[in-house]
Amino acid sequence: MLANILLALSVFIYILLAKLLLGARPGGDYGVGYSFVMLIYQLGFVVSTGLLAWTMNASHCFDWLSAPFLRYRNGLVFMAWVSFVVTAFWSLEYHTKWIEGEFWPFLRWLAISKVYVWLPVLVFGACLYLVNARRVADFPPDWVRLTAKTGFAVCLLIALSVFWGFGKFWVQKRLEGFQMKSVWNSENQEKYKAELDFVETYNDSTIEGLLQYATRYDKQLRINATAKLKSFPNWENDLIAILSKKDLETVYVYYDNTRYVYPFLYVNKVEHPEKFIQAIQYSLQVLAIRAEKDLADPYALELGALDIELICLLLDEQFKNYAKEFRPGMLKLQAALATDAPERANTEHRKSYVKTLKKCRLAVKNWLDTNS
């Protein structure tokens, strides 16, 4: 009784799945619902056929297997079930779709022959007889044995071919990935070597061209660039000159070398911090103007590049004795950050921008609270 219920359920779900997959696939919001329903049908088919195979095996429906195979009956039944499920899904999915070279050509012939119709008829027909026939001598008759064996052989052949096809595709993609990574590594090694050579042979009159390399994540490049930079006798004055450039508030932050100064100062002590007071005061004014402009423009996303949190930490660690001189600039920056910011037009960065703004406001507030 249970086996008949599971058989009927399996057939019913297969018909629903076939009707779904053989029809046109919708797009948009309907496509999401389509995919969800397909997943439900596929899961139902796996569960119902799996329970059917287990029930039939427990009811001795396959005791007619020849002696050499009978000892492996459980494994064979499991293999047959997996093969049938894979074949059913593949035949419905690829009934019209075909990518040249993805699978062996004979699978295309099977797809054209509507294997998704005649193969389930063979399998479910054999199951129907095996579930309901009486266990008498010569059970089951030869035509049932032939039907079951043919169905199993075709399912196994298709399933193995499908696994081979997808396995080959996976290996090809992995090889392509390794090749692309190798090319990328090679190109980056060349670029890295060129950067090291540039730092080693750098001979400009100021450090401005070196500064970006002294703040890189790569340790060796950062060490080399920092050593080269500090070999300039006036490197501190050069940093001050970069911070003191006129009309910085009109320059796009990513084209402005001042954005490398604060990260460099954060990890490199200066011998004469008092020389930086005026330059930092001016820089804080520029920072306030930039922040206010960025907040007002819903298309702008420069706030994170201003490094406001890092600047607050730097002023606390290396320029703590000059907090009084920097306080007016920090108050202006706080006022600029307090501006109501319209929602960012770029939805991908909307949440991260709000998060960055909160961190900047908190960093400035904490600095002002500890340097009152």
Side-chain angles (χ1 to χ4, degrees), residues 87-157:
T87 299
F89 291 164
W90 176 86
S91 62
L92 290 172
E93 179 67 24
Y94 282 80
H95 70 284
T96 56
K97 181 171 66 176
W98 185 258
I99 301 173
E100 198 64 38
E102 186 176 11
F103 298 111
W104 283 323
F106 78 88
L107 288 182
R108 179 58 176 164
W109 305 334
L110 286 171
I112 294 174
S113 73
K114 296 186 178 181
V115 67
Y116 57 84
V117 175
W118 57 262
L119 187 58
V121 170
L122 281 181
V123 173
F124 286 135
C127 290
L128 180 63
Y129 183 91
L130 293 172
V131 165
N132 293 286
R134 293 179 59 188
R135 307 299 190 267
V136 295
D138 296 326
F139 168 84
D142 291 340
W143 68 267
V144 175
R145 297 182 186 221
L146 179 61
T147 299
K149 290 178 180 179
T150 301
F152 171 69
V154 174
C155 288
L156 183 61
L157 180 63

Side-chain angles (χ1 to χ4, degrees), residues 322-338:
Y322 309 101
K324 184 178 179 180
E325 284 82 353
F326 301 141
R327 187 172 178 80
M330 293 296 283
L331 287 170
K332 287 184 180 179
L333 180 58
Q334 185 182 47
L337 292 172

Side-chain angles (χ1 to χ4, degrees), residues 189-214 216 220-221 224-229 231-232 257 260:
Q189 283 295 324
E190 292 178 6
K191 182 181 177 182
Y192 179 64
K193 186 178 183 302
E195 290 176 335
L196 288 174
D197 292 341
F198 174 83
V199 168
E200 185 178 351
T201 58
Y202 185 83
N203 59 0
D204 284 7
S205 58
T206 70
I207 65 166
E208 189 163 357
L210 270 178
L211 194 55
Q212 63 170 305
Y213 300 102
R216 289 287 181 86
Q220 190 59 52
L221 184 59
N224 290 4
T226 300
K228 186 76 172 183
L229 187 152
S231 69
F232 284 68
N257 280 335
Y260 300 118

Side-chain angles (χ1 to χ4, degrees), residues 31-64:
V32 177
Y34 176 94
S35 299
F36 181 73
V37 172
M38 180 179 67
L39 182 63
I40 295 297
Y41 287 169
Q42 288 177 332
L43 182 61
F45 186 72
V46 169
V47 173
S48 62
T49 54
L51 290 174
L52 174 62
W54 179 81
T55 303
M56 291 179 66
N57 189 41
S59 301
H60 305 284
C61 292
F62 303 107
D63 285 355
W64 49 270

